[in-house]
Amino acid sequence: FFSCSCCDRLAEKLFKMARSTDQAVGLLMMLAAVVIFVYYNVWVVLLPFLPANHMLHQFFLQREWAIILPSAAGVLVLAAAGGFVRHMSTKKKA
């Protein structure tokens, strides 16, 4: 396979740039997961023990949504995974 030092340097720069982009996306995904985890746990675990007139209650939905939203998200994830598996299993082989 043909290779030159110029191409090698360019490939190395592109690899480093892709790696840093992947790390930035990974960091954002991790931060989003931590924020969602903390928010949901405060909503489900802490709020029931606070009085109804506490100021934290204004930042959260009603408690029944604590079951509805994760259930709907789970159904969507399972449907997407099932659709992907079906698409891959019915795809014609080249």
Side-chain angles (χ1 to χ4, degrees):
F1 188 76
F2 182 73
S3 178
C4 67
S5 63
C6 179
C7 293
D8 290 341
R9 284 191 305 252
L10 178 62
E12 185 177 326
K13 285 182 182 181
L14 289 174
F15 179 73
K16 284 182 182 179
M17 196 166 61
R19 190 174 65 205
S20 65
T21 302
D22 290 345
Q23 288 176 345
V25 170
L27 177 64
L28 287 175
M29 290 172 61
M30 184 64 83
L31 289 174
V34 167
V35 166
I36 291 169
F37 177 80
V38 170
Y39 180 87
Y40 186 79
N41 279 306
V42 167
W43 185 17
V44 172
V45 176
L46 183 64
L47 280 185
F49 297 107
L50 296 177
N53 60 353
H54 196 275
M55 69 144 206
L56 271 181
H57 284 282
Q58 68 185 352
F59 299 109
F60 298 92
L61 296 172
Q62 297 296 319
R63 292 189 63 203
E64 61 264 8
W65 288 101
I67 301 298
I68 295 170
L69 290 177
S71 299
V75 167
L76 288 174
V77 167
L78 288 174
F84 176 74
V85 168
R86 180 169 181 183
H87 171 72
M88 295 305 290
S89 66
T90 60
K91 190 167 84 170
K92 292 189 179 201
K93 296 183 179 180

